[in-house]
Amino acid sequence: MGKDLIEAIANLDEERAIAIVREKMSSGETAYEIVEQCKKGVEMVGKRYSEGSYYLSDLIMSAEILKEIMVIIEPYFYKNVAEFTEGNGAQIIIGTIEGDIHDLGKNIVIYLLRSSGYRVHDLGVDVSPTKFLEAIKETGATVIGVCVLLTFCIGYVKEMVDLLVEAGLRDDVKIVLGGYPVNEQVKEYTGVDYISNDAVKAMKIFKQITAGISPK
Ligand code: B12
């Protein structure tokens, strides 16, 4: 399922990828299904890059294709998340951690949160631990979403958590870490509360936290 789109993105065939997405939307595939296929496609781009058969310009190209696809599918997300409309203005701070400028996945999560009634403070990319701390103090938000894609930036996430401990704020906030490389090991190392490398799971976690339910 979705192999054609995965391949078109992996081969950086922009025109074909866009045409397939339009076809998929009109045949009723959900925006989520399409995002998952896009993720697999760019994962292959990443793999080819690390193997040396693709260059940085190819990574950039894959990001451009993804951005175009997002423009097409964004309006359809909301339709599919009708059950997640309970943000009720709860505040969430989100940013990509220091040293890392990847933001396509973060922006999808932000879009979904805003569509569901959350008040999101987007700190952007390359956000230092100190900036996260300042944002917590300024806004009073108690839920933080951190995005990391570069493994060598995971240490800054730990620094951020340690900074919150030092500031005496750790027990007052819940931290959700997202991005391609996150797993249980990363969760344990950094000391964050929850992890997700999937937007739907992320939405469930945020919803449960803000409803006072402890996510499993
Ligand atoms: C596109 C891309 C880029 C683009 C980014 C454009 C942008 N505006 O984001 C550009 C070209 C700029 C780029 C640059 C670089 N990149 Co790059 N990039 C990618 C690529 C191909 C796709 C990433 C992506 O957008 N995925 C699609 C989105 C939708 O998926 P996602 O991010 O995982 O998000 C989902 C979930 O994780 C989750 N989520 C995401 N954020 C959040 C946040 C929260 C709070 C939550 C709860 C959930 C959540 O929800 C999303 C939807 O489901 C990946 C390959 C890969 N496997 O991921 C490499 C990859 C991440 N890049 C890599 C590298 C090495 C680089 C560079 C260092 C290359 C260089 N030599 O300059 C630079 C670093 C720049 C920097 N300082 O950050 C490596 C990292 C390797 C590593 N081990 O650290 C990868 C894995 C490629 C590879 N295999 O080598 N890159």
Side-chain angles (χ1 to χ4, degrees), residues 6-21:
I6 299 171
E7 268 168 27
I9 294 176
N11 295 332
L12 302 171
D13 188 341
E14 183 178 12
E15 251 174 61
R16 187 163 154 66
I18 301 288
I20 295 171
V21 167

Side-chain angles (χ1 to χ4, degrees), residues 116-186:
S116 303
Y118 289 91
R119 249 174 79 202
V120 179
H121 303 279
D122 180 10
L123 305 184
V125 296
D126 188 19
V127 182
S128 68
T130 319
K131 266 201 204 153
F132 276 104
L133 180 68
E134 281 166 5
I136 294 167
K137 288 180 178 163
E138 271 165 29
T139 62
T142 55
V143 184
I144 307 169
V146 184
C147 172
V148 65
L149 263 81
L150 298 176
T151 44
F152 59 81
C153 293
I154 289 171
Y156 290 117
V157 179
K158 181 171 165 43
E159 257 183 43
M160 188 205 73
V161 176
D162 292 345
L163 194 64
L164 293 185
V165 174
E166 269 171 44
L169 289 170
R170 182 64 187 96
D171 293 340
D172 303 334
V173 296
K174 292 281 181 241
I175 308 168
V176 189
L177 180 63
Y180 172 71
V182 305
N183 54 31
E184 280 302 319
Q185 231 181 324
V186 171

